Amino acid sequence: MSDFPKQARVVIIGGGVIGTSTLYHLGKRGWSDCVLLEKNELTAGSTWHAAGNVPTFSTSWGIMNIQRYSTELYARLGEEVDYPMSYHQSGSIRLAHTKERVQEFQRAMSMGRYQGIEMEMWSPEEARARYPFLETHDLEGVLYDPSDGDIDPAQLTQALAKGARDMGGRILRFTPATGVTQQADDSWVVHTEKGDIACDYVVNAAGYYAQRVGEWFKRYGGRSVPMMVMSHQYLLTEEIPEIEAWTKDNGGAKLPLLRDVDISYYLRQEKHGYNLGPYEPNCKGHWMTEDDQMPEDFSFQLWSDDLDRIEDIVTDAMERVPLMATSGISRVINGPIPYAPDGLPLIGPMPGVKNAFENCVFTFGIAQGGGAGKVLAEWIVDGAPEWDMWAVDPRRYTDYTDQDYCNQKGMEVYGNEYAMHFPHHEWPAARDKKLSPVHDKVIALGGVMGAYNGWERANWFAQPGDDTSLEATHTWGRFGPWEQRVREECEAVRDGCGVLDLPGFSRFMVQGEGAAEALRGLVTGGLPKVGRINLVYIADDRGRILTEMSCMRLGEDQFVMITAATAQWHDRDILTGAMPAGVTVEDVTTTRDTLIVTGPKARDLLAGLTDADLTTGWLTHQAATVAGQAAYLIRVSFAGELGWEVHAVNENMPAIYDAILNAGARPFGMYALDSLRLEKGYRTWKGDLSTDYSLLEGGLERFVKLDKPQDFPGKAAIQAEKQQGVQKCFVTLLVDAGDADAPYMSCIWSGDEIVGETTSGGWGHRVNASIALGMVRAELSAPGTELQVEIYGEKRCAVVQEDQPLWDPENERLRA
């Protein structure tokens, strides 16, 4: 093959809608010398049998962004690339059977409004007027999304492919990739049956083959791709005269796409019949057992019908739209759909592997394909996407996602596809993957657990008789069985001493000649002196907040970098990528545990247990023994009280924990810690701290040293922004919140105008008020400014506070 490409800038493995969108968007960014490899024909995987729905609805800010972009792209794509497409923006209606579902709709509608999607809430009667075949007697409300609709997946893929080819991209069909080899300079060679292609970057866009492709990267630092494959059925009815008549009477329009999310199905007009797609609780995964192995090639294939699984949902749909019962079934589609453990795709850098990316495991690939191509092209070309995309970053998962975990979670997500994600609800499948050395003791004390990067931590501590059922958590409100206990835990920290077991803190030993200088060239501010600890921030090239770490200095070139549990693989890649030869980065996360011991009586309590010098000041650290066990004490407290973090190797921690409890400390959980940190204005990573905001917007200028000689990432951007002035400012708000506190990304209003968004919120038990942290236009950030925060559809009065902690503003208790 004389025209076979030997060299490319990027090689994309997989020729579905995701792969072609990636190639198309790389072309749009000017990268024309890119190649896509497809083992069969384009669309041969999940794309060809996809139903083609294109919603914008989501309660994830990042997912809504990529879905919104997809609808905008698809509306213009056919004309842009001169390829005809069947794209119907018929609008959709979502049915709410309960008040809680209406609140979820109100939240999504608010987020959509901020992104320019004008959703509407309808009464059941208004919905019936627009959808005359609908039964509405038992509904609380209906959400209408005018931008929702459906598209032909094959036409979409071919249009993206044509656009990519027109910009110089190469598509090689019937050319399966067979492996990869990484070169000494971290570039790649992708092997095929027709020859090798050398490239700078490689993308795994292999759909339900993604895990198989991912195995090739293991020897270069990779891991098994966290995914499984579900069997999803949808059925097509025969044509129905009433639908044909309605379409004719309405100028050829289609009925709005209907989703009965509390029953778990969508119902869409397909020509003059219906397409019904259920997500049944008694679902079925495939290729999960020894006797059901994934075939080498499943191109353009389906499984046999299995209608017994969906019978109840079909019956309910016929009761909701009786017209459906007048027609027979013409065809059933039962095909494979990949699922990640949280149902969201993997878009971004491949964990642990340089110059490799993932754009795979899409459950809703047609809806998200346009945005996914845009995001990944930006990641490759610019080093970062326009929007913070942590929700889909492959590094959000770490080593706990074994295949058992993926299988259990995939089944759980599919069976609860339209479930509401209440703030206090913990999903029960595939738990106890990572346990602290005192886990059994925490459970015995009444710990009601949550999973944090696979680690089990107590959210709150129940007393005998407290309701710890999952059903009790099905509320958007503040009040539940936990509320009184969390208040008591906060008061114990305020008045006495509390102890929180915190397994999973990500810890990295960074040491070797040149470590200090390398870190100075990475972080925006200064490093602590030996024996001290301080916060450091890392920016991206745009000056935006990439991550936050606690930097503990043990020696001139010896550091411990401590960061959030969920940031483990994200921050590992940042550190390893920035260190020169001779400096090692060792991940010691799993070998150690941490206790937070905090409150005004913490010093008195610890004095009887340790040989440490408890008179040393805030932000210091020391080796010591606690309860006769070797440990490390750090004088910090995320709770904002006098306190220490006690770090110890796992085998030493049970004796230390028992001694601290026996000395009178009260155990407290993550809900209390979140309340306590809000009162201090302490930020959380990927909530208040994200790449959607610059360090200056985030109020972090005191952690930036523009006068230091090192040219750290983002320095030029921060200098330019400082000269021009920030557009947004970080603020603390006190909110007249009613029964529910502000969730992430609630709209902040000034009059009739959206002027910002919350980044976190909750109740402060020491200040006895609802608190929201957020971003607002700079001119509205002055203390005393009166604004409104939209909480589940209600606008609640809010007031901007002074730029200082609400609790102990002078930090006198912290430094005591």
Side-chain angles (χ1 to χ4, degrees):
M1 294 182 61
S2 59
D3 64 340
F4 186 84
K6 301 293 187 183
Q7 188 85 30
R9 214 166 188 179
V10 182
V11 170
I12 300 160
I13 301 171
V17 67
I18 304 302
T20 54
S21 179
T22 305
L23 187 68
Y24 171 83
H25 283 90
L26 285 168
K28 295 289 282 186
R29 298 307 308 273
W31 284 32
S32 58
D33 49 343
C34 303
V35 172
L36 182 150
L37 302 175
E38 166 53 43
K39 69 188 301 179
N40 196 284
E41 181 57 90
L42 295 183
T43 77
S46 293
T47 299
W48 83 272
H49 63 77
N53 297 330
V54 189
T56 60
F57 180 96
S58 179
T59 52
S60 161
W61 185 256
I63 291 294
M64 182 175 277
N65 256 324
I66 63 174
Q67 291 181 172
R68 171 189 54 78
Y69 173 84
S70 291
T71 64
E72 295 167 355
L73 172 67
Y74 300 167
R76 65 176 188 268
L77 182 64
E79 183 176 346
E80 183 177 297
V81 303
D82 192 24
Y83 192 95
M85 291 196 307
S86 297
Y87 180 34
H88 311 106
Q89 287 189 285
S90 58
S92 72
I93 54 176
R94 287 176 184 257
L95 311 183
H97 294 235
T98 64
K99 174 177 66 71
E100 289 77 17
R101 184 67 80 172
V102 171
Q103 289 177 290
E104 181 201 44
F105 288 175
Q106 294 277 15
R107 170 155 163 69
M109 187 171 72
S110 172
M111 291 169 58
R113 185 186 296 115
Y114 201 167
Q115 292 195 16
I117 307 166
E118 291 299 329
M119 301 180 187
E120 302 173 24
M121 284 300 300
W122 288 351
S123 69
E125 293 73 25
E126 289 174 311
R128 179 68 182 263
R130 293 165 170 85
Y131 198 118
F133 311 118
L134 183 66
E135 292 295 323
T136 60
H137 59 280
D138 57 347
L139 300 180
E140 287 283 335
V142 175
L143 177 69
Y144 174 65
D145 179 357
S147 59
D148 206 336
D150 63 273
I151 197 166
D152 183 300
Q155 290 178 354
L156 170 60
T157 305
Q158 295 296 345
L160 290 165
K162 181 180 185 299
R165 288 188 184 106
D166 289 348
M167 290 181 285
R170 295 285 302 276
I171 297 176
L172 305 181
R173 299 170 301 137
F174 302 102
T175 309
T178 57
V180 297
T181 300
Q182 192 164 38
Q183 305 298 292
D185 63 355
D186 296 324
S187 66
W188 294 93
V189 174
V190 180
H191 309 295
T192 81
E193 295 172 350
K194 300 176 181 178
D196 293 345
I197 306 175
C199 59
D200 298 323
Y201 305 98
V202 64
V203 177
N204 181 356
Y208 52 72
Y209 300 106
Q211 191 175 79
R212 185 170 287 170
V213 170
E215 295 299 303
W216 303 338
F217 296 88
K218 277 189 170 179
R219 58 181 171 148
Y220 305 112
R223 86 301 183 218
S224 291
V225 175
M227 63 171 289
M228 55 85 70
V229 175
M230 291 298 301
S231 157
H232 176 61
Q233 299 180 95
Y234 63 90
L235 56 88
L236 305 175
T237 73
E238 296 169 345
E239 298 209 346
I240 300 171
E242 289 87 343
I243 293 180
E244 183 176 9
W246 186 92
T247 295
K248 184 178 179 181
D249 290 345
N250 287 271
K254 293 179 68 172
L255 288 162
L257 195 157
L258 184 153
R259 290 185 180 84
D260 197 337
V261 289
D262 289 311
I263 306 300
S264 196
Y265 66 86
Y266 69 81
L267 186 66
R268 187 185 90 202
Q269 181 179 338
E270 187 76 24
K271 297 181 180 177
H272 296 139
Y274 276 121
N275 173 336
L276 172 67
Y279 291 89
E280 68 279 11
N282 58 327
C283 50
K284 181 178 177 62
H286 266 292
W287 305 330
M288 294 166 53
T289 60
E290 288 296 323
D291 59 353
D292 181 25
Q293 292 289 305
M294 182 180 181
E296 191 61 35
D297 190 353
F298 200 69
S299 299
F300 295 113
Q301 296 183 56
L302 297 171
W303 292 303
S304 300
D305 307 348
D306 190 4
L307 294 179
D308 289 346
R309 289 205 328 256
I310 61 175
E311 182 178 1
D312 290 347
I313 293 180
V314 174
T315 299
D316 198 284
M318 289 178 174
E319 293 173 354
R320 180 64 57 194
V321 183
L323 186 63
M324 186 187 166
T326 66
S327 176
I329 297 173
S330 66
R331 191 182 180 197
V332 178
I333 309 294
N334 183 10
I337 298 183
Y339 267 74
D342 60 3
L344 303 183
L346 306 177
I347 312 174
M350 187 180 294
V353 185
K354 292 182 179 179
N355 297 335
F357 293 83
E358 292 176 336
N359 211 0
C360 54
V361 198
F362 283 78
T363 297
F364 300 103
I366 305 305
Q368 296 162 3
K374 171 190 186 292
V375 164
L376 196 71
E378 292 169 345
W379 229 316
I380 294 171
V381 175
D382 303 328
E386 175 186 356
W387 314 304
D388 188 283
M389 294 305 299
W390 180 245
V392 297
D393 192 312
R395 297 167 294 184
R396 71 189 187 273
Y397 295 118
T398 62
D399 56 354
Y400 62 95
T401 57
D402 57 21
Q403 198 56 51
D404 171 71
Y405 179 90
C406 294
N407 291 345
Q408 287 193 52
K409 296 302 286 187
M411 298 275 283
E412 181 180 62
V413 170
Y414 182 98
N416 296 276
E417 190 63 67
Y418 293 121
M420 291 175 276
H421 294 269
F422 296 109
H424 295 96
H425 180 78
E426 294 284 340
W427 293 97
R431 296 295 294 273
D432 293 351
K433 288 297 179 181
K434 287 187 168 184
L435 305 181
S436 95
V438 298
H439 176 78
D440 291 344
K441 181 73 172 183
V442 170
I443 294 292
L445 291 167
V448 181
M449 311 303 285
Y452 298 80
N453 193 33
W455 292 95
E456 294 290 325
R457 296 175 178 171
N459 284 327
W460 60 287
F461 284 85
Q463 301 294 320
D466 287 348
D467 184 358
T468 59
S469 67
L470 289 176
E471 290 73 23
T473 68
H474 292 175
T475 175
W476 301 108
R478 181 185 316 113
F479 299 101
W482 55 84
E483 196 269 340
Q484 179 180 344
R485 303 299 173 220
V486 173
R487 182 173 67 251
E488 293 167 356
E489 292 170 21
C490 290
E491 290 169 349
V493 171
R494 179 194 68 191
D495 300 333
C497 181
V499 58
L500 185 150
D501 177 44
L502 199 68
F505 248 156
S506 301
R507 297 176 183 82
F508 304 94
M509 295 287 298
V510 180
Q511 53 192 335
E513 186 177 351
E517 186 59 26
L519 285 172
R520 289 189 192 99
L522 177 64
V523 306
T524 61
L527 301 179
K529 296 178 181 178
V530 175
R532 296 190 64 82
I533 183 172
N534 65 297
L535 280 178
V536 296
Y537 289 87
I538 299 171
D540 66 15
D541 289 339
R542 303 165 296 182
R544 298 187 188 184
I545 306 165
L546 192 58
T547 196
E548 170 197 77
M549 300 185 191
S550 293
C551 178
M552 186 166 74
R553 193 165 191 174
L554 305 179
E556 187 59 34
D557 274 320
Q558 187 179 21
F559 301 84
V560 180
M561 308 299 288
I562 305 172
T563 184
T566 52
Q568 184 181 2
W569 281 7
H570 178 278
D571 287 1
R572 175 201 65 185
D573 286 358
I574 292 173
L575 288 171
T576 56
M579 293 301 116
V583 175
T584 60
V585 177
E586 182 187 2
D587 187 339
V588 296
T589 299
T590 59
T591 62
R592 291 160 171 79
D593 191 24
T594 302
L595 302 178
I596 294 179
V597 183
T598 186
K601 297 181 181 179
R603 180 179 282 117
D604 296 338
L605 184 145
L606 284 171
L609 303 176
T610 182
D611 59 359
D613 180 0
L614 299 179
T615 66
T616 59
W618 188 40
L619 301 179
T620 60
H621 57 85
Q622 60 185 301
T625 61
V626 181
Q629 308 295 316
Y632 222 89
L633 269 66
I634 307 175
R635 177 77 193 277
V636 293
S637 172
F638 199 54
E641 299 283 352
L642 171 68
W644 285 262
E645 287 179 5
V646 180
H647 295 245
V649 294
N650 291 335
E651 53 267 31
N652 292 358
M653 193 55 86
I656 296 173
Y657 190 53
D658 281 345
I660 290 171
L661 289 170
N662 292 337
R666 170 157 181 167
F668 69 102
M670 297 300 292
Y671 291 169
L673 185 63
D674 192 56
S675 170
L676 297 164
R677 68 96 190 167
L678 279 168
E679 294 171 309
K680 296 295 292 183
Y682 295 158
R683 278 71 150 173
T684 58
W685 188 67
K686 292 308 180 188
D688 315 298
L689 305 170
S690 82
T691 56
D692 282 333
Y693 310 116
S694 72
L695 270 84
L696 299 185
E697 289 174 335
L700 302 172
E701 186 171 357
R702 67 188 182 280
F703 297 100
V704 178
K705 291 181 66 175
L706 291 173
D707 58 349
K708 70 176 184 177
Q710 293 82 10
D711 187 23
F712 56 85
K715 185 175 185 178
I718 294 172
Q719 285 175 321
E721 185 182 21
K722 186 173 174 62
Q723 291 171 353
Q724 296 165 7
V726 296
Q727 302 298 306
K728 303 173 88 170
C729 284
F730 182 86
V731 294
T732 299
L733 301 165
L734 285 183
V735 188
D736 177 18
D739 294 338
D741 300 306
Y744 174 67
M745 283 297 178
S746 298
C747 288
I748 300 175
W749 295 77
S750 178
D752 295 328
E753 192 175 9
I754 297 174
V755 295
E757 66 276 357
T758 62
T759 53
S760 59
W763 188 266
H765 290 279
R766 290 177 298 194
V767 300
N768 199 35
S770 184
I771 304 164
L773 308 182
M775 290 283 181
V776 299
R777 289 183 191 166
E779 67 270 20
L780 296 172
S781 63
T785 302
E786 296 183 0
L787 301 168
Q788 291 179 302
V789 174
E790 186 174 352
I791 302 177
Y792 303 115
E794 286 189 68
K795 290 183 180 178
R796 310 293 301 196
C797 294
V799 178
V800 177
Q801 302 300 297
E802 296 283 350
D803 185 18
Q804 62 186 22
L806 295 170
W807 175 253
D808 185 27
E810 301 301 322
N811 290 326
E812 294 171 352
R813 296 169 69 94
L814 197 63
R815 301 173 187 269

